Amino acid sequence: LANTSWAFATLGVRAPQLFEAIARESEQRVSSFNTQNLANTAWTFATLGTRAPQLVAAIVRENEQCIGSFKSQGLANTAW
């Protein structure tokens, strides 16, 4: 999910229904995401300006749990 959403965002694809579905599913799976997946997912939704408040809240909670595991690039991408 993280890589798929990142790829579409990198290409500038605007597909609201797709990203709504990715947000819903990602919210359910975010606890299984590694730090790179967390960073990529946050970057995707920020880059596209797609609102997903429940997903963002889930990412924040997960980041709080694993902040010490982030590599500097992932931390920078997430903070951006």
Side-chain angles (χ1 to χ4, degrees):
L1 288 170
N3 290 341
T4 299
S5 63
W6 174 85
F8 281 118
T10 299
L11 293 170
V13 172
R14 303 283 181 192
Q17 290 179 330
L18 171 64
F19 285 102
E20 287 172 17
I22 288 172
R24 281 192 309 272
E25 194 62 32
S26 293
E27 182 186 346
Q28 300 302 313
R29 298 182 187 199
V30 75
S31 63
S32 68
F33 284 12
N34 63 34
T35 57
Q36 186 64 54
N37 292 151
L38 292 169
N40 286 355
T41 302
W43 179 88
T44 293
F45 285 85
T47 297
L48 293 175
T50 301
R51 294 191 43 79
Q54 292 175 318
L55 173 58
V56 171
I59 290 171
V60 167
R61 284 191 302 273
E62 195 60 31
N63 281 337
E64 290 172 342
Q65 299 295 318
C66 64
I67 196 75
S69 301
F70 271 82
K71 294 180 180 174
S72 58
Q73 185 64 53
L75 187 58
N77 289 351
T78 302
W80 176 87

